[in-house]
Amino acid sequence: MEKPNIVEISTNERQAGKRAVHKLRAEKQVPAVIYGPKVKENINVSLTEVDVEKLLSRSTTQIVKLDVEGKGTYDVLLKRVDFAKISDRPIHVDLYALDDDSPVIITVPIRLKGTPRGVTEGGGRMYQPLRKIRIQCYPEKLPAEFTLDVGNLKIGESLNVEDLVMEGITPLRELFRTVVTIRPPKGSVAEQLGMDEEELEEGEEAAEGEEGAEATEGSEEGGEEAAEESES
């Protein structure tokens, strides 16, 4: 299982308050707050828009080694990013400080590897109703992503959450939840008899719901100041 990429960023503490926040944003800085089980009081910092966009450009899990001048270094996860409604620029970031002794909840992408036999030999169609999964684990077990080899899948076969390699990791989804399935060619008798589009749509909606839950968790833990600043 691949470990998360580590990104090193240096920053300073920042002043709180709307005037200071507006000034930062005018300078293309993004207000941020560090919080976590071992952080006694939230630490207000800022990241450059460029740094935030680079972090967002990768779908896999990343650990940011954040060096805060005068405070020390924190290993943090980008837990939540708020965007401006019109410009879509990042306007606030929640950073969760990892603690080796405290489990963390995070959403991790699922990547498929290979081309299914049911597609190449039988003309089937591959669907992935679950593209991300919410998990709980200790920081040392954090994965960059989950990978599933689908090369041997035939038409009608599926891989579920229980097929993911999760040693030391607790999935926060049902083990029977389908991750990927190979459906018959469109219009075939087998498809008409048993596999309808509603099943696929339900799986996609469930996956989208996970991402929303993760974002909500981040905003709640980040504190009132984070919410106030994101609105300003």
Side-chain angles (χ1 to χ4, degrees), residues 14-27 29-31 44 91-92 224-232:
R14 63 174 174 85
Q15 291 182 338
K18 291 185 178 181
R19 181 175 298 181
V21 165
H22 286 311
K23 183 180 179 181
L24 282 172
R25 291 174 181 155
E27 297 171 349
Q29 295 279 327
V30 183
N44 296 314
I91 58 174
H92 191 275
E224 296 179 359
E225 182 182 334
E228 178 182 343
E229 289 177 354
S230 65
E231 293 172 359
S232 58

Side-chain angles (χ1 to χ4, degrees), residues 33-48:
V33 60
I34 302 173
Y35 66 96
K38 290 278 182 81
V39 178
K40 294 181 180 179
E41 293 184 5
N42 290 355
I43 304 173
N44 296 314
V45 297
S46 64
L47 304 177
T48 67

Side-chain angles (χ1 to χ4, degrees), residues 9 44 46 62 68 97 105 130 134 140 167-169 175 189 214:
I9 297 177
N44 296 314
S46 64
Q62 298 178 84
V68 183
I105 294 175
L130 192 62
R134 204 160 179 244
E140 65 176 10
E167 184 179 354
I169 296 173
L175 294 179
V189 175
E214 177 74 6

Side-chain angles (χ1 to χ4, degrees), residues 69-219:
E69 186 176 356
K71 285 286 186 179
T73 301
Y74 299 84
D75 288 342
V76 302
L77 294 175
L78 195 68
K79 197 71 168 178
R80 177 187 172 95
V81 181
D82 293 323
F83 298 90
K85 294 181 180 179
I86 297 176
S87 66
D88 205 34
R89 290 172 56 187
I91 58 174
H92 191 275
V93 175
D94 281 358
L95 301 169
Y96 179 85
L98 296 170
D99 169 45
D100 291 341
D101 299 323
S102 301
V104 61
I105 294 175
I106 187 174
T107 298
V108 178
I110 302 172
R111 180 173 62 88
L112 305 183
K113 177 182 178 182
T115 303
R117 291 178 58 187
V119 172
T120 57
E121 299 175 6
R125 297 173 294 151
M126 180 172 69
Y127 287 96
Q128 186 180 358
L130 192 62
R131 298 178 181 275
K132 296 182 180 181
I133 183 168
R134 204 160 179 244
I135 63 169
Q136 182 177 38
C137 65
Y138 286 93
E140 65 176 10
K141 294 292 186 178
L142 277 173
E145 62 184 4
F146 291 109
T147 303
L148 273 179
D149 190 340
V150 298
N152 290 322
L153 287 182
K154 301 176 183 178
I155 290 176
E157 294 183 336
S158 302
L159 291 175
N160 304 325
V161 169
E162 64 184 351
D163 295 307
L164 297 171
V165 177
M166 289 194 175
E167 184 179 354
I169 296 173
T170 302
L172 302 181
R173 291 301 301 269
E174 301 89 344
L175 294 179
F176 61 79
R177 179 68 64 179
T178 299
V179 175
V180 58
T181 186
I182 310 303
R183 301 184 65 187
K186 191 172 183 180
S188 68
V189 175
E191 180 191 46
Q192 294 172 11
L193 288 176
M195 307 180 76
D196 57 34
E197 296 293 336
E198 291 183 3
E199 295 173 345
L200 173 63
E201 291 173 1
E202 288 176 1
E204 291 176 339
E205 288 174 1
E208 291 173 1
E210 280 186 352
E211 298 178 48
E214 177 74 6
T216 300
E217 177 196 359
S219 67

